[in-house]
Amino acid sequence: MGAGFLHKQLLVCFSAFLFLLVVIIHQDAPGTLQLGFLGALRGEPVSAEQRQGSPTFQWRGTEEERAGDSMPVPVPSRPPATTRHPLQVVYPYNYRFLLNEPDKCRDRAPFLVLLVVTEPKDITVRNAIRQTWGNESAVPGVSMVRIFLTGVHPRYGSPLQRLLEEESALHRDIIQQDFLDTYNNLTLKTLMGMEWVSTHCSNASYVMKADSDIFLNVGFLVRQLLQPQLPPKKDFMTGHIYRNTGPLRSKAYKWYVPREVYPNNTYPPYCGGAGYVLSGDLAKKVYGAAQTLRVINMEDAFLGICLYKLGISVTNSPWGLFNVFWLEYEKCRFSRLVLVHHYGPTDLLRVWPDFQGGNKTCPS
Ligand SMILES: *[C@@H]1O[C@H](CO)[C@@H](O)[C@H](O)[C@H]1NC(C)=O
Ligand SMILES: *[C@@H]1O[C@H](CO)[C@@H](O)[C@H](O)[C@H]1NC(C)=O
Ligand SMILES: *[C@@H]1O[C@H](CO)[C@@H](O)[C@H](O)[C@H]1NC(C)=O
Ligand SMILES: *[C@@H]1O[C@H](CO)[C@@H](O)[C@H](O)[C@H]1NC(C)=O
Ligand SMILES: *[C@@H]1O[C@H](CO)[C@@H](O)[C@H](O)[C@H]1NC(C)=O
């Protein structure tokens, strides 16, 4: 009996050691270790919806870091300090456009507007997207507009601004508002895109919000899913749909949503942020609804909240079209889906010639 007890104790110690090891391995930065460990100890859920990526919790740094930044331009908006939680998204607020493209839709009503989320420093990423799925003339006979969405870098706003202005003058495809470009301000980027569509491109049939780390098969999206020969759908939104999920309440996670920001324990159904498609009319309605709601820091879940408020449901897409997890590239498989998550610029440039190439024909 005594030996059995000792044996159990050893087992417990050993499991605890393994557990600690796993916790440590899963942390990027030493600073986040404690939070992650405490969160895990409290038994908080790892993820309500199996999101990927490493947990990094960053809001703490933004204000202090900027205190040492003496460069004058651009000056990001500093909404008045109130008692709001640091993760509370400041909205509605009169953010100014530092870069805008008001004339893109003056002479055309695009079938599809691609709103691509990037950070100011992501020049390589934007160039790879311009050369691959973001090519506006990739689908013959279909009018497309590509717009990159950015905010202001929290620390290197000024030096990056000059580069961004040059890039913008060259490609005329970047819009930027004067909010801090941080993970927890992502919803502001999406709303800037919805604002841009509402104000400057309200005759677009469809709008796609896309992350910059995806493989996107625009041809399939346009021809198979949206079908330009049909009248544009109304009140339509589709993507990879999450149902019955809720906010993550542990500070250890990149996707932490405090109760002060969103009190409910569940989200309405919503489309995963890697890439989703809306009808042009709905983009305007979502923008309108956002003016009346408490904006939360999870942009995809927030769009679900807007739809819920509007009394509009998300539409299911055939299974397997929107892949929020990475898949190994295979031409014929990729020719029958809309998106695959976790494709960086190097991967995109590597697979694109084969994807476009006519060497191998795939059964349709
Ligand atoms: C975009 O696609 C067109 C048509 O396939 C092609 O001629 C052009 O070179 C492409 N542009 C870029 C930047 O890759
Ligand atoms: C979001 O941007 C606003 C405006 O620039 C800024 O005041 C706020 O600190 C930012 N929030 C986060 C969480 O970075
Ligand atoms: C498209 O809408 C914009 C405003 O959103 C307008 O300025 C433009 O004239 C329209 N273009 C066409 C071709 O209808
Ligand atoms: C949040 O909960 C309240 C109270 O139960 C409910 O009235 C409201 O509709 C919920 N909101 C969402 C977006 O689910
Ligand atoms: C197409 O096939 C030719 C001959 O087999 C080959 O040389 C070329 O590299 C291939 N191109 C692509 C894009 O796979």
Side-chain angles (χ1 to χ4, degrees):
M1 171 144 176
F5 179 68
L6 192 68
H7 185 70
K8 265 185 203 155
Q9 268 198 331
L10 274 174
L11 255 182
V12 167
C13 284
F14 186 62
S15 322
F17 172 74
L18 271 184
F19 173 74
L20 263 172
L21 203 65
V22 168
V23 168
I24 289 167
I25 288 167
H26 277 278
Q27 305 302 324
D28 288 332
T32 57
L33 172 63
Q34 200 187 0
L35 285 171
F37 183 54
L38 289 179
L41 271 186
R42 276 189 235 112
E44 272 151 3
V46 167
S47 166
E49 52 186 47
Q50 300 283 303
R51 291 185 184 256
Q52 288 199 341
S54 51
T56 44
F57 180 59
Q58 287 167 327
W59 60 266
R60 211 174 277 281
T62 55
E63 284 296 321
E64 295 95 296
E65 276 175 19
R66 268 177 9 83
D69 181 359
S70 59
M71 278 163 291
V73 228
V75 183
S77 285
R78 263 182 189 274
T82 56
T83 52
R84 74 187 144 81
H85 190 280
L87 293 188
Q88 180 65 57
V89 180
V90 181
Y91 202 83
Y93 186 83
N94 190 22
Y95 297 109
R96 289 171 304 141
F97 274 98
L98 300 174
L99 295 172
N100 199 357
E101 291 298 332
D103 299 329
K104 279 252 164 187
C105 301
R106 180 152 289 168
D107 307 317
R108 56 178 164 173
F111 180 71
L112 180 65
V113 174
L114 287 176
L115 299 174
V116 188
V117 171
T118 61
E119 291 173 35
K121 62 174 170 55
D122 293 341
I123 301 179
T124 316
V125 175
R126 284 187 291 270
N127 277 335
I129 292 172
R130 288 179 182 115
Q131 289 164 45
T132 57
W133 53 262
N135 186 335
E136 291 182 341
S137 34
V139 188
V142 173
S143 166
M144 282 194 347
V145 163
R146 170 194 67 233
I147 293 285
F148 292 108
L149 312 171
T150 64
V152 174
H153 191 281
R155 192 159 196 167
Y156 302 112
S158 292
L160 280 170
Q161 196 63 16
R162 278 164 226 140
L163 292 173
L164 204 59
E165 277 165 12
E166 273 181 42
E167 190 188 342
S168 160
L170 192 60
H171 297 287
R172 304 248 68 111
D173 60 359
I174 300 173
I175 66 174
Q176 180 192 34
Q177 278 181 345
D178 64 347
F179 53 79
L180 290 188
D181 196 320
T182 59
Y183 186 76
N184 282 298
N185 263 343
L186 209 50
T187 315
L188 293 179
K189 257 187 223 178
T190 301
L191 291 175
M192 167 174 69
M194 299 301 149
E195 176 179 356
W196 185 86
V197 170
S198 308
T199 323
H200 302 301
C201 202
S202 58
N203 34 32
S205 303
Y206 293 98
V207 176
M208 173 159 199
K209 197 235 75 170
D211 278 353
S212 58
D213 60 341
I214 63 166
F215 171 94
L216 184 64
N217 182 346
V218 183
F220 187 91
L221 168 68
V222 166
R223 289 201 215 89
Q224 309 294 319
L225 192 64
L226 302 178
Q227 308 188 354
Q229 70 276 15
L230 301 178
K233 297 180 177 65
K234 300 282 172 211
D235 293 341
F236 170 81
M237 180 167 185
T238 194
H240 175 90
I241 298 173
Y242 289 103
R243 295 179 195 276
N244 307 313
T245 66
L248 292 179
R249 299 299 195 193
S250 164
K251 285 184 183 170
Y253 298 108
K254 189 178 175 186
W255 306 288
Y256 168 52
V257 178
R259 281 181 203 282
E260 295 92 321
V261 170
Y262 184 70
N264 291 28
N265 288 325
T266 58
Y267 290 133
Y270 68 93
C271 299
Y276 50 76
V277 185
L278 300 76
S279 52
D281 66 320
L282 189 53
K284 275 174 273 173
K285 290 184 191 173
V286 162
Y287 177 61
Q291 312 305 309
T292 69
L293 290 168
R294 219 155 117 93
V295 172
I296 75 166
N297 52 330
M298 299 291 105
E299 65 92 20
D300 47 7
F302 180 67
L303 258 64
I305 297 170
C306 291
L307 259 65
Y308 177 83
K309 163 94 187 219
L310 292 164
I312 294 167
S313 306
V314 289
T315 303
N316 284 313
S317 281
W319 189 84
L321 294 195
F322 292 83
N323 296 277
V324 291
F325 298 113
W326 182 81
L327 293 176
E328 181 144 19
Y329 174 74
E330 202 274 301
K331 180 172 179 179
C332 289
R333 189 180 191 186
F334 276 43
S335 69
R336 287 189 305 267
L337 51 74
V338 173
L339 82 80
V340 182
H341 202 180
H342 305 298
Y343 271 72
T346 319
D347 307 315
L348 280 180
L349 294 171
R350 175 173 55 82
V351 306
W352 207 254
D354 181 67
F355 185 66
Q356 294 292 87
N359 270 10
K360 186 178 176 192
T361 49
C362 298
S364 51

